[in-house]
Amino acid sequence: MPAAAKSNTIRIEQLRKSYSAGTSANPHYIIKDVDLVVKGGEFFVLLGPSGCGKSTLLNMIAGFVAKTEGRLTLDGEEIRKPGRDRAMVFQQADASLFPWLTVRENVEFGLRMKHVPKNERRDISDRYIRLAGLSGHEDKFPKALSGGMKQRVQLARVLANDPAILLMDEPFGALDAMTRRTMQNELIRIWRETHKTVIFVTHDIQEAILLGQRIGIMSVGPDSRITDIYDIPLAYPRDITAPEFNAHYAVIQSHFEE
């Protein structure tokens, strides 16, 4: 790797976040003493119960939320604000799509804001529309799309802007079971083709094992932290009925039962 190339490594050391100061001697922390390293190109899953601070941590990595204490760096540079190298994919696609724009126009929106020439915009949007399985839907408006199709549009728009890191906050949580499984498989296919770094938040153990190379377990808040990290050395695509898959499930499930 050339000296000037970025490794897209995220390093978190003794990270803390407090929205309420409490007393000066005993502040109230949402997350406390989080340590983590996510390497470039990795698919990392944050797994934990609702309200444990997963989304707060993801928003801190995105630069939307400021830290209270500790270190949070990308390739050695402190993360202080949002950047084009990081992009967020939200649970509700409706909140991020423009209803007055077509699928293609939504996908090209960020490129237009960067004044990318029209022909280049079309080439880029064609690629990611095809990659996200949206071919034939280019001229439709969001109101004509299903929930799963809207998430495909959101993902294609994010990818068209070519961020190095995808931050995904329970993006399939509002989908029905069949659509969710389809989107999980599509995400793995896209990740393997694009080699992006993915940090994915979920509270679903099966989803975490289906997707992640490593899974970080967050404790119940307040003072939530990453207590354990599990390696999932299963080949993709993964079979949820395979004995090896269920063995990992049993180990992680027992962690939460304890």
Side-chain angles (χ1 to χ4, degrees):
M1 179 181 293
K6 293 185 176 181
S7 65
N8 299 315
T9 297
I10 296 168
R11 188 176 300 275
I12 300 171
E13 301 174 56
Q14 294 294 289
L15 190 67
R16 298 184 178 191
K17 178 61 185 176
S18 172
Y19 286 109
S20 174
T23 66
S24 58
N26 187 28
H28 300 154
Y29 290 106
I30 295 173
I31 60 173
K32 184 177 181 181
D33 298 339
V34 172
D35 292 299
L36 177 66
V37 175
V38 178
K39 296 181 180 179
E42 181 177 9
F43 200 123
F44 187 89
V45 175
L46 282 170
L47 176 66
S50 297
C52 73
K54 303 185 301 296
S55 294
T56 296
L57 180 55
L58 200 69
N59 277 286
M60 293 172 75
I61 296 170
F64 298 150
V65 173
K67 69 182 182 182
T68 301
E69 301 171 45
R71 283 179 54 79
L72 172 56
T73 62
L74 173 56
D75 287 333
E77 297 291 328
E78 196 74 27
I79 294 175
R80 303 185 187 278
K81 60 183 180 180
R84 289 181 179 176
D85 48 8
R86 286 154 286 138
M88 183 79 84
V89 179
F90 299 96
Q91 184 179 78
Q92 298 293 342
D94 284 331
S96 67
L97 298 182
F98 298 113
W100 59 89
L101 299 182
T102 65
V103 166
R104 183 180 296 280
E105 290 168 339
N106 265 287
V107 173
E108 292 185 359
F109 182 80
L111 302 173
R112 287 179 57 204
M113 294 299 100
K114 293 190 288 187
H115 306 292
V116 174
K118 184 176 181 179
N119 289 342
E120 188 177 346
R121 290 204 310 266
R122 176 58 65 100
D123 289 342
I124 294 171
S125 64
D126 278 346
R127 178 189 176 194
Y128 290 107
I129 284 170
R130 183 172 58 253
L131 190 65
L134 292 165
S135 297
H137 302 278
E138 294 90 341
D139 298 325
K140 292 181 179 179
F141 291 91
K143 66 180 180 181
L145 303 176
S146 67
M149 293 298 283
K150 290 176 184 177
Q151 282 294 39
R152 290 173 186 263
V153 178
Q154 185 183 190
L155 185 56
R157 187 173 69 180
V158 164
L159 290 170
N161 287 290
D162 198 27
I165 299 165
L166 298 181
L167 306 172
M168 311 190 76
D169 193 2
E170 301 196 54
F172 309 142
L175 304 179
D176 65 82
M178 291 182 66
T179 303
R180 186 174 187 174
R181 183 56 45 79
T182 298
M183 289 302 299
Q184 289 165 341
N185 291 334
E186 286 295 291
L187 175 59
I188 289 297
R189 179 181 63 82
I190 290 169
W191 164 68
R192 295 180 75 185
E193 183 168 330
T194 62
H195 309 291
K196 305 291 186 185
T197 305
V198 179
I199 302 179
F200 189 103
V201 162
T202 185
H203 60 263
D204 185 303
I205 297 174
Q206 186 180 89
E207 181 170 64
I209 301 171
L210 192 68
L211 298 177
Q213 292 178 303
R214 290 193 301 151
I215 300 173
I217 307 296
M218 292 194 70
S219 61
V220 176
D223 295 349
S224 181
R225 62 189 180 89
I226 296 175
T227 61
D228 296 272
I229 294 179
Y230 292 94
D231 290 307
I232 310 296
L234 302 178
Y236 294 100
R238 292 173 176 173
D239 179 1
I240 62 173
T241 66
E244 298 84 358
F245 188 101
N246 286 293
H248 285 288
Y249 189 101
V251 170
I252 295 175
Q253 177 65 39
S254 66
H255 173 100
F256 287 105
E257 290 175 349
E258 291 172 2

